[in-house]
Coordinates of all heavy atoms in Angstrom, one line a residue:
A173 N 6.4 8.3 17.9 CA 6.4 9.7 17.9 C 5.7 10.2 16.7 O 4.9 11.2 16.8 CB 7.9 10.2 17.9
A174 N 5.9 9.6 15.5 CA 5.2 10.0 14.3 C 3.7 9.8 14.5 O 2.9 10.7 14.0 CB 5.7 9.2 13.1
A175 N 3.2 8.7 15.1 CA 1.8 8.5 15.3 C 1.2 9.5 16.2 O 0.1 10.1 15.9 CB 1.6 7.1 15.9
V176 N 1.8 9.8 17.3 CA 1.3 10.8 18.3 C 1.2 12.2 17.6 O 0.2 12.9 17.8 CB 2.1 10.8 19.6 CG1 1.6 11.9 20.5 CG2 2.0 9.5 20.3
S177 N 2.2 12.5 16.9 CA 2.3 13.8 16.2 C 1.1 13.9 15.2 O 0.4 14.9 15.1 CB 3.6 14.0 15.4 OG 3.6 15.2 14.7
G178 N 0.9 12.8 14.4 CA -0.2 12.8 13.5 C -1.6 12.8 14.1 O -2.5 13.5 13.6
L179 N -1.7 12.1 15.2 CA -3.0 12.2 16.0 C -3.3 13.5 16.6 O -4.4 14.0 16.6 CB -3.0 11.1 17.0 CG -3.0 9.6 16.5 CD1 -2.8 8.6 17.6 CD2 -4.4 9.3 15.8
L180 N -2.2 14.2 17.0 CA -2.3 15.5 17.6 C -2.8 16.5 16.5 O -3.7 17.3 16.7 CB -1.0 16.0 18.2 CG -0.9 17.4 18.6 CD1 -1.9 17.7 19.7 CD2 0.5 17.8 19.1
A181 N -2.2 16.4 15.3 CA -2.6 17.3 14.2 C -4.0 17.0 13.8 O -4.8 18.0 13.5 CB -1.7 17.0 13.0
L182 N -4.5 15.8 13.8 CA -5.8 15.4 13.5 C -6.8 16.0 14.5 O -7.8 16.6 14.1 CB -6.0 13.9 13.5 CG -7.4 13.3 13.3 CD1 -8.0 13.8 11.9 CD2 -7.4 11.8 13.3
Q183 N -6.5 15.9 15.8 CA -7.3 16.5 16.8 C -7.5 18.0 16.7 O -8.5 18.6 16.9 CB -6.8 16.1 18.2 CG -7.6 16.7 19.4 CD -9.0 16.1 19.4 OE1 -9.2 14.9 19.5 NE2 -10.0 16.9 19.4
R184 N -6.4 18.7 16.4 CA -6.4 20.1 16.3 C -7.2 20.6 15.2 O -7.7 21.8 15.3 CB -4.9 20.6 16.2 CG -4.1 20.4 17.4 CD -2.7 21.0 17.2 NE -2.7 22.4 17.1 CZ -1.6 23.2 17.0 NH1 -0.4 22.6 17.1 NH2 -1.7 24.5 16.9
Q185 N -7.3 19.9 14.1 CA -8.1 20.4 12.9 C -9.6 20.2 13.0 O -10.3 20.8 12.2 CB -7.5 19.8 11.6 CG -7.9 18.4 11.4 CD -7.3 17.8 10.1 OE1 -8.0 17.2 9.3 NE2 -6.0 18.0 9.9
T186 N -10.0 19.3 13.9 CA -11.4 19.0 13.9 C -12.2 19.9 14.8 O -11.7 20.6 15.7 CB -11.7 17.5 14.4 OG1 -11.1 17.4 15.7 CG2 -11.0 16.5 13.5
A187 N -13.5 20.0 14.5 CA -14.4 20.9 15.2 C -15.1 20.2 16.4 O -16.0 20.8 16.9 CB -15.4 21.5 14.2
T188 N -14.6 19.0 16.7 CA -15.2 18.3 17.8 C -14.2 17.4 18.4 O -13.3 16.9 17.8 CB -16.4 17.5 17.3 OG1 -17.1 16.8 18.4 CG2 -15.9 16.4 16.3
P189 N -14.3 17.1 19.7 CA -13.3 16.1 20.3 C -13.5 14.7 19.7 O -14.6 14.3 19.4 CB -13.7 16.1 21.8 CG -14.6 17.3 22.0 CD -15.2 17.6 20.7
L190 N -12.4 14.0 19.6 CA -12.5 12.6 19.1 C -12.3 11.6 20.2 O -11.4 11.6 20.9 CB -11.3 12.5 18.1 CG -11.3 13.4 16.9 CD1 -10.0 13.2 16.0 CD2 -12.5 13.4 16.0
L191 N -13.3 10.7 20.3 CA -13.2 9.6 21.2 C -12.3 8.5 20.7 O -11.7 7.8 21.5 CB -14.6 9.1 21.6 CG -15.6 10.0 22.3 CD1 -16.8 9.3 22.6 CD2 -14.9 10.6 23.5
H192 N -12.3 8.3 19.4 CA -11.5 7.3 18.8 C -10.7 7.9 17.6 O -11.3 8.5 16.8 CB -12.3 6.1 18.3 CG -13.2 5.5 19.3 ND1 -12.8 4.6 20.2 CD2 -14.5 5.7 19.6 CE1 -13.8 4.2 21.0 NE2 -14.8 4.9 20.7
A193 N -9.4 7.7 17.6 CA -8.6 8.1 16.4 C -7.6 7.0 16.1 O -7.1 6.4 17.1 CB -8.0 9.4 16.7
A194 N -7.2 6.9 14.9 CA -6.3 5.8 14.5 C -5.3 6.3 13.5 O -5.7 7.1 12.6 CB -7.0 4.6 14.0
A195 N -4.1 5.9 13.6 CA -3.0 6.3 12.6 C -2.7 5.0 11.8 O -2.3 4.0 12.3 CB -1.8 6.8 13.3
L196 N -2.9 5.1 10.5 CA -2.5 4.0 9.6 C -1.0 4.2 9.1 O -0.5 5.3 9.0 CB -3.4 4.1 8.3 CG -4.9 4.1 8.6 CD1 -5.7 4.1 7.3 CD2 -5.4 3.0 9.5
G197 N -0.4 3.1 8.9 CA 1.1 3.1 8.6 C 1.4 3.0 7.1 O 0.9 2.1 6.4
M198 N 2.2 3.9 6.6 CA 2.7 3.8 5.2 C 4.1 3.4 5.2 O 4.9 3.9 5.9 CB 2.5 5.2 4.5 CG 1.1 5.7 4.4 SD 1.0 7.3 3.6 CE 1.6 8.4 4.9
E199 N 4.4 2.4 4.3 CA 5.8 2.0 4.1 C 6.6 3.1 3.5 O 6.1 4.0 2.8 CB 5.9 0.7 3.3 CG 5.2 -0.5 3.9 CD 5.9 -1.0 5.1 OE1 7.1 -0.6 5.3 OE2 5.4 -1.9 5.8
Q200 N 7.9 3.0 3.6 CA 8.8 4.1 3.1 C 9.6 3.5 1.9 O 10.1 2.3 2.0 CB 9.8 4.6 4.1 CG 10.5 5.8 3.7 CD 10.8 6.8 4.9 OE1 10.5 6.5 6.0 NE2 11.4 7.9 4.6
A201 N 9.7 4.2 0.8 CA 10.6 3.9 -0.3 C 11.4 5.1 -0.6 O 11.0 6.0 -1.3 CB 9.7 3.5 -1.5
G202 N 12.7 5.1 -0.1 CA 13.5 6.2 -0.3 C 12.9 7.4 0.5 O 12.7 7.3 1.7
D203 N 12.7 8.5 -0.2 CA 12.2 9.7 0.5 C 10.6 9.7 0.4 O 10.0 10.6 0.9 CB 12.7 11.0 -0.2 CG 14.2 11.2 -0.1 OD1 14.7 10.7 0.9 OD2 14.8 11.8 -1.0
W204 N 10.0 8.6 -0.1 CA 8.6 8.6 -0.4 C 7.9 7.8 0.7 O 8.4 6.7 1.1 CB 8.3 8.1 -1.8 CG 8.8 9.0 -2.8 CD1 10.0 8.8 -3.5 CD2 8.3 10.2 -3.3 NE1 10.2 9.8 -4.4 CE2 9.2 10.7 -4.3 CE3 7.2 11.0 -3.1 CZ2 9.0 11.9 -5.0 CZ3 7.0 12.1 -3.8 CH2 7.9 12.6 -4.7
L205 N 6.7 8.2 1.0 CA 5.8 7.3 1.8 C 4.8 6.7 0.9 O 4.1 7.5 0.1 CB 5.1 8.1 2.9 CG 6.0 8.8 4.0 CD1 5.2 9.6 4.9 CD2 6.8 7.7 4.7
V206 N 4.6 5.4 0.9 CA 3.8 4.7 -0.1 C 2.4 4.5 0.4 O 2.1 3.8 1.4 CB 4.4 3.4 -0.5 CG1 3.6 2.7 -1.5 CG2 5.9 3.6 -0.9
W207 N 1.4 5.1 -0.3 CA 0.0 5.0 0.0 C -0.5 3.7 -0.6 O 0.0 3.2 -1.7 CB -0.7 6.2 -0.6 CG -2.2 6.2 -0.5 CD1 -3.1 5.8 -1.4 CD2 -3.0 6.7 0.6 NE1 -4.4 6.0 -1.0 CE2 -4.3 6.6 0.3 CE3 -2.6 7.3 1.8 CZ2 -5.4 7.0 1.1 CZ3 -3.7 7.7 2.6 CH2 -5.0 7.6 2.3
S208 N -1.5 3.1 0.0 CA -2.1 1.9 -0.6 C -3.5 1.7 -0.2 O -4.0 2.5 0.6 CB -1.3 0.6 -0.2 OG -1.7 0.2 1.1
D209 N -4.2 0.8 -0.8 CA -5.6 0.6 -0.5 C -5.8 -0.3 0.7 O -7.0 -0.6 1.1 CB -6.4 0.0 -1.7 CG -5.9 -1.4 -2.0 OD1 -4.7 -1.7 -1.6 OD2 -6.6 -2.1 -2.8
D210 N -4.7 -0.7 1.4 CA -4.9 -1.6 2.5 C -3.8 -1.2 3.6 O -3.1 -2.1 4.1 CB -4.7 -3.1 2.1 CG -5.1 -4.0 3.1 OD1 -6.0 -3.7 4.0 OD2 -4.6 -5.2 3.2

Side-chain angles (χ1 to χ4, degrees):
V176 176
S177 179
L179 293 169
L180 173 59
L182 175 60
Q183 179 66 56
R184 291 183 62 174
Q185 73 179 227
T186 57
T188 185
L190 303 177
L191 295 185
H192 305 277
L196 309 181
M198 294 180 286
E199 296 289 350
Q200 193 149 358
D203 295 331
W204 299 98
L205 298 177
V206 182
W207 179 265
S208 79
D209 63 341
D210 195 27

